Amino acid sequence: MRLKDKVALITGGSNGIGRESALLFAKEGAKVVVADVDDRKGEETVQEIRDMEHEAAFVRADVSRSPDCKNMISFAEEQFGKLDILFNNAGIMHSSDDNAEATEEEVWDLTMNINAKGVFLGCKYGIPALKRAGGGSIINTASFVALLGAATPQIAYTASKGAVLSLTRELAVLHARENIRVNALCPGPLRTELLMKFLSTEEKKQRRLVHIPMGRFGEAGEMAKAALFLASDESSFTTGAEFVVDGGITAAYVTPE
Ligand code: NAD
């Protein structure tokens, strides 16, 4: 078991990447705290883990709210005695996120508050807990759009993921000597609710697919496996990395027919 005796907190753990990671981390021996605004799906994830005879608990947390982030970290320590792995994964892609001219300020603020400030707040309260545990691993979900301009405009989302990447690098450097590793997971386009809602028509889906050498969307489970590597001691010399898992999209100049 790759996460035996570890305690992991996963934000956005009710759906998509977070949910698959919660299930996988639990199978690998971790006690898992699922933090999300979706109570029903969060409780379902926790029940599924308990049905497999592993330990898990749900805490409601809106990652854009400081008191919620403070509370989710205390909750993890109270429930399971410590925190070793913090997976700052919650994020949104707003349906009205567009180019700079068309995007409303409210959409920008909401996106930055959840996707970028949410990661900051997770780290703000999570890092002291990791220090109390003697070190640990932080994984922040960024995106391939932090590395490349996207064919479908989503300016607030792209900027928020750029922020996640740069804060990940700096925190990795700051905490390297404290046995805390900080890495960014950069998924390519995935067949999760978040992207499928945004790419709402077949035409929009095809426009994205054309850029992916593998010719398909990725699966949340494939991201969970990458996150497991970053969470576990197998990645013991990896910090400050942009861990790109994208079906080849960032490597492509021209995609095969
Ligand atoms: P998803 O929509 O399936 O899951 C996101 C989860 O985050 C949901 O459970 C949702 O309730 C939760 N959430 C939303 N706002 C929240 C808030 N304020 N506080 C707490 N939880 C909140 O999406 P996903 O595809 O699994 O995305 C997970 C992460 O991966 C996001 O950060 C997303 O930006 C990133 N990502 C996704 C893709 C993709 O193609 N799906 C690609 C690159 C990066």
Side-chain angles (χ1 to χ4, degrees):
M1 292 220 275
R2 294 156 75 184
L3 299 179
K4 195 172 180 309
D5 300 328
K6 304 277 191 197
V7 178
L9 186 156
I10 304 176
T11 70
S14 297
N15 293 285
I17 299 174
R19 179 185 145 78
E20 292 299 323
S21 301
L23 296 170
L24 183 61
F25 286 18
K27 280 183 203 152
E28 291 293 338
K31 293 169 185 157
V32 177
V33 174
V34 172
D36 208 298
V37 288
D38 185 342
D39 302 50
R40 190 178 60 79
K41 292 274 191 64
E43 294 289 4
E44 270 176 31
T45 305
V46 163
Q47 194 50 51
E48 206 170 316
I49 291 172
R50 289 182 182 153
D51 290 345
M52 296 188 298
E53 317 237 310
H54 297 296
E55 288 183 66
F58 175 76
V59 61
R60 185 183 170 81
D62 175 344
V63 296
S64 66
R65 293 192 67 248
S66 192
D68 287 16
C69 289
K70 196 173 180 186
N71 181 58
M72 73 183 182
I73 301 291
S74 321
F75 178 85
E77 289 187 307
E78 279 158 22
Q79 287 288 312
F80 299 125
K82 60 172 181 161
L83 183 68
D84 304 293
I85 298 157
L86 173 62
F87 189 4
N88 290 308
N89 165 74
I92 60 156
M93 190 183 273
H94 200 286
S95 56
S96 306
D97 195 356
D98 203 308
N99 58 29
E101 291 163 283
T103 302
E104 301 292 344
E105 272 187 69
E106 291 72 26
V107 170
W108 173 273
D109 289 344
L110 181 67
T111 303
M112 292 302 276
N113 281 341
I114 296 174
N115 293 10
K117 188 179 169 194
V119 173
F120 157 66
L121 290 174
C123 293
K124 180 175 177 61
Y125 298 110
I127 286 171
L130 296 180
K131 283 183 185 169
R132 287 191 282 276
S137 172
I138 299 177
I139 306 143
N140 298 325
T141 306
S143 169
F144 77 100
V145 302
L147 306 166
L148 291 175
T152 318
Q154 41 182 10
I155 200 70
Y157 183 82
T158 299
S160 73
K161 294 304 185 179
V164 171
L165 264 196
S166 45
L167 82 80
T168 297
R169 272 187 221 106
E170 186 149 305
L171 289 175
V173 175
L174 288 172
H175 298 287
R177 305 261 169 128
E178 293 168 338
N179 198 29
I180 296 173
R181 299 183 296 105
V182 192
N183 291 292
L185 177 64
C186 296
L190 306 180
R191 206 168 52 86
T192 65
E193 204 178 319
L194 175 134
L195 187 65
M196 294 304 106
K197 261 195 198 157
F198 185 76
L199 303 178
S200 50
T201 63
E202 196 48 39
E203 192 192 343
K204 283 184 186 168
K205 288 190 181 74
Q206 287 305 325
R207 188 168 171 210
R208 188 61 66 89
L209 275 175
V210 103
H211 296 284
I212 310 173
M214 286 191 178
R216 66 170 177 88
F217 291 109
E219 301 293 337
E222 293 175 305
M223 299 309 117
K225 287 177 191 159
L228 172 61
F229 170 70
L230 294 174
S232 77
D233 294 339
E234 287 164 24
S235 58
S236 52
F237 200 51
T238 306
T239 199
E242 295 160 5
F243 199 81
V244 180
V245 188
D246 70 347
I249 196 166
T250 52
Y253 171 52
V254 176
T255 49
E257 294 286 312

